[in-house]
Amino acid sequence: MKKNNSKSSGGFLDRRSFIKTGASLLTALAAPSVLAGGDKGIKVPDAMLIPGAFDDEYGKPSGYEKAVKRLVMPNGNAAFTPLDRQRGIITPPGLHFGAHHSGIPTINPEEHELYIHGLTEKALRFTLEDLARYPHEGGVMFLECSGNTWLQATSGEQAPDKSCAELYGLVSGSEWLGVPVRLLLEEAGIKPGGKWVIVEGSDAGTHARSIPIEKLLDDAIIALYQNGERLRPAQGYPMRLFLPGWEGNMNVKWVRRMEVVEAPAFTKDESRAYTETLPDGSIEQFSFYMGVKSVITTPSGQQKLPAKGFYELNGLAWSGFGKISYVEVSDDDGKTWHKAQIHGPVLTKSLTRFTLPWQWSGNIARLQSRAVDEFGNRQPSHQEWKSKYLDGSYNHYNAIQTWEVAKDGGISNVF
Ligand SMILES: Nc1nc2c(c(=O)[nH]1)N[C@H]1C(S)=C(S)[C@@H](COP(=O)(O)O)O[C@H]1N2
Ligand SMILES: [Mo]
């Protein structure tokens, strides 16, 4: 094997040298084995001897991929995306995270109606068929529960021994498309004084939030499509409010009513839930934006590196404010940082994929990533984040994650 002179400090390989030496690194350290009988060792698989199966009307993943699944909480209220098995920035609909306060309602789209009323010139009613005729907007964007990573936020000195999926899996990425709310509000005509809109879902718990009218006139959509197909029931079929970059719970699913009002309604979902407690005990309300955040998804918690040598670190970064500018990675507990490679497209308010070639020496390594968005927003350290809120506060955790690689290759979550 060619001697690798280009090894940068901390075990990172610069990208150009990786391309040059990559092939030899892989052969020396990764999977391929040399065929015993040379060309004669090439096998003919059974699958080539008889015709294969018929196709399905709706396709399914390979039966050999059963381990790729969501982690569903025992009460059914939440399901976590297996981020540590995902590549790219799109989550398959069946693996999208779920958060449901009162279960998933079964809605017949022919009976479902969306009302716009309150401080409007006209009260309007829309069916799915009506909405389907409007122009659609949207794009590839993330959706994140504000409670994502709450286990990190609420832990004491000891970091919880959990996987990346269990800690970070309440975020997913999809192409969301639907009707701009702006068009519907303009059609209804907003009366003077109409500043907020109470948006209500048609599930049993009457999930409702007050949304400032500026956001609804900006990039909000009534989403009808997710990754090219109609929404899944768990994601709000037949229609949901989608607010790019804003906290998950405001993206009201199974939306049925939008009432234009003068002031926020202080619904239970914005007074009791989804507020943060500050160190002096006062309550911070209306934290709409999801802050800049990132995590190394492989290798990550509860995985094991089989041997020392070459690995590609792989991770996700996102910001509710806009685009990711750059991501830096460290393997020495934050002493030195190295720019990761960003894999396009870099989209606004979207998951963004980053990678960095890395050589594991076999010693203890502490892997971290920190993202910066186009407005210069940065991630705090765990301690910095904790000091901003009173103990027990758990929403909007976005601190730098640390995975520790032990000498036996085992990876765990540490603070
Ligand atoms: N009607 C309704 N909308 C809802 C909820 C709900 O329980 N009912 N859960 C909210 C929460 S807490 C989150 S994080 C997101 C989750 O969306 P998803 O299940 O499509 O991932 O939906 C939000 N919208
Ligand atoms: Mo949520």
Side-chain angles (χ1 to χ4, degrees):
M1 189 185 134
K2 202 164 112 191
K3 193 165 174 293
N4 174 27
N5 299 318
S6 53
K7 193 164 168 282
S8 57
S9 67
F12 291 100
L13 309 167
D14 87 55
R15 197 177 131 62
R16 277 205 336 273
S17 77
F18 168 62
I19 291 168
K20 277 210 317 254
T21 62
S24 57
L25 279 171
L26 286 169
T27 347
L29 304 168
S33 52
V34 177
L35 281 182
D39 289 358
K40 293 204 179 70
I42 294 173
K43 284 197 272 186
V44 177
D46 291 349
M48 292 178 75
L49 304 177
I50 45 161
F54 281 13
D55 210 345
D56 291 332
E57 287 188 319
Y58 198 104
K60 290 191 291 290
S62 161
Y64 295 101
E65 292 294 315
K66 291 229 159 53
V68 185
K69 58 186 179 188
R70 301 184 303 171
L71 198 86
V72 183
M73 285 205 349
N75 61 11
N77 278 357
F80 296 78
T81 293
L83 290 178
D84 39 9
R85 303 212 179 231
Q86 180 182 327
R87 290 285 175 121
I89 60 172
I90 302 280
T91 310
L95 294 175
H96 195 280
F97 89 87
H100 330 287
H101 299 303
S102 315
I104 300 165
T106 304
I107 297 180
N108 178 344
E110 286 173 19
E111 286 162 16
H112 185 81
E113 296 182 328
L114 170 66
Y115 308 103
I116 297 187
H117 67 118
L119 291 174
T120 57
E121 303 295 338
K122 291 172 282 187
L124 297 178
R125 180 184 60 195
F126 300 90
T127 63
L128 178 62
E129 216 178 85
D130 295 334
L131 290 177
R133 295 180 57 185
Y134 283 76
H136 284 35
E137 285 178 12
V140 175
M141 294 174 285
F142 77 85
L143 180 68
E144 184 182 19
C145 175
S146 58
N148 194 19
T149 334
W150 87 85
L151 283 172
Q152 294 290 73
T154 53
S155 290
E157 301 283 288
Q158 186 64 34
D161 177 20
K162 301 285 182 192
S163 70
C164 177
E166 204 169 348
L167 293 171
Y168 285 85
L170 297 182
V171 65
S172 300
S174 306
E175 186 191 40
W176 294 97
L177 288 178
V179 182
V181 178
R182 163 181 31 95
L183 296 180
L184 307 180
L185 286 176
E186 279 165 7
E187 200 160 337
I190 302 162
K191 281 194 176 154
K195 294 270 178 285
W196 291 72
V197 180
I198 307 167
V199 181
E200 186 182 275
S202 37
D203 48 340
T206 322
H207 184 82
R209 286 275 334 229
S210 311
I211 320 278
I213 204 128
E214 294 81 14
K215 180 67 173 176
L216 296 174
L217 295 174
D218 181 19
D219 57 358
I221 56 174
I222 299 295
L224 307 181
Y225 286 90
Q226 180 191 358
N227 292 341
E229 62 182 7
R230 283 270 164 84
L231 305 184
R232 295 282 170 108
Q235 269 61 60
Y237 184 83
M239 54 187 75
R240 86 177 301 164
L241 179 65
F242 192 86
L243 301 175
W246 283 24
E247 58 177 17
N249 69 80
M250 303 183 79
N251 295 254
V252 177
K253 299 189 279 193
W254 315 292
V255 59
R256 65 178 285 267
R257 204 165 67 80
M258 301 180 71
E259 181 180 351
V260 181
V261 292
E262 282 178 349
F266 298 105
T267 68
K268 68 174 186 331
D269 301 303
E270 61 202 22
S271 50
R272 188 193 66 78
Y274 305 120
T275 55
E276 292 80 55
T277 316
L278 300 177
D280 66 359
S282 63
I283 305 288
E284 186 173 73
Q285 198 173 29
F286 298 134
S287 17
F288 300 136
Y289 291 86
M290 294 311 295
V292 62
K293 191 160 169 177
S294 71
V295 64
I296 295 173
T297 50
T298 51
S300 61
Q302 298 185 344
Q303 294 180 343
K304 194 164 181 178
L305 301 183
K308 56 186 179 183
F310 169 79
Y311 292 90
E312 184 184 62
L313 303 185
N314 219 292
L316 289 168
W318 61 98
S319 165
F321 294 95
K323 290 182 184 174
I324 291 296
S325 289
Y326 61 94
V327 181
E328 291 173 310
V329 173
S330 171
D331 73 347
D332 55 8
D333 207 19
K335 285 181 207 69
T336 56
W337 293 90
H338 307 263
K339 260 203 183 144
Q341 196 200 348
I342 299 280
H343 293 258
V346 179
L347 300 167
T348 188
K349 303 166 190 177
S350 167
L351 295 183
T352 302
R353 180 60 67 176
F354 67 88
T355 64
L356 197 60
W358 178 62
Q359 185 100 302
W360 181 44
S361 64
N363 291 324
I364 292 174
R366 285 194 159 202
L367 302 174
Q368 298 176 317
S369 64
R370 60 181 192 193
V372 178
D373 72 15
E374 60 179 320
F375 300 102
N377 295 306
R378 289 162 184 278
Q379 295 183 251
S381 69
H382 177 70
Q383 293 317 326
E384 282 166 351
W385 189 89
K386 288 284 271 190
S387 66
K388 283 203 296 189
Y389 301 101
L390 194 69
D391 255 2
S393 197
Y394 62 88
N395 284 314
H396 291 273
Y397 181 91
N398 69 331
I400 295 168
Q401 169 66 35
T402 311
W403 302 120
E404 183 174 282
V405 185
K407 287 195 165 167
D408 67 355
I411 302 168
S412 56
N413 173 31
V414 295
F415 289 145

